[in-house]
Amino acid sequence: MSRPLLKQENQTADVQNFIAGYHRQTIEEVTAAIAANRIVVVGMAQNPFVKKARAALNAANTDFRYLEYGSYLSLWKPRLAIKMWSGWPTFPQVFVDGVLIGGYKETVAALQAGTISPK
């Protein structure tokens, strides 16, 4: 089940163009990393759950690519673009084999279930 979104017919062309281009370079960087790496963690500095997710993956001896976008004090607009793109409201955002699995809690659950394997 997907979250309802405002239909494009209820947006002006200017709004559609703005949304499509909103920090597009950031979204392209994230999608390129997801395409090139089995596991990608998208996060931000100072967020304890990002640190915990990375630590859990490291403890499991799992290779991953980490992308960091600012902190609580900077780069909130690129992070907003990532949230708009993925639909996930928090960080970290963890992708495995191109699929968003969620954040810290979901990453730990996947490691415990064995659905994320080392290297």
Side-chain angles (χ1 to χ4, degrees), residues 31-113:
T31 57
I34 292 168
N37 299 276
R38 181 168 174 264
I39 301 172
V40 175
V41 177
V42 180
M44 57 186 280
Q46 301 175 323
N47 183 313
F49 294 100
V50 173
K51 290 178 185 176
K52 289 178 181 183
R54 292 172 64 198
L57 290 167
N58 282 327
N61 198 29
T62 304
D63 289 336
F64 63 93
R65 170 86 189 273
Y66 176 58
L67 300 174
E68 184 172 280
Y69 294 96
S71 68
Y72 289 107
L73 304 174
S74 66
L75 298 181
W76 68 270
K77 287 182 180 182
R79 287 196 310 278
L80 176 60
I82 294 166
K83 291 176 181 182
M84 290 169 57
W85 167 77
S86 72
W88 191 254
T90 61
F91 290 100
Q93 296 190 10
V94 181
F95 296 84
V96 178
D97 295 324
V99 176
L100 174 63
I101 66 164
Y104 164 70
K105 180 176 70 172
E106 294 79 13
T107 300
V108 169
L111 286 166
Q112 290 173 345

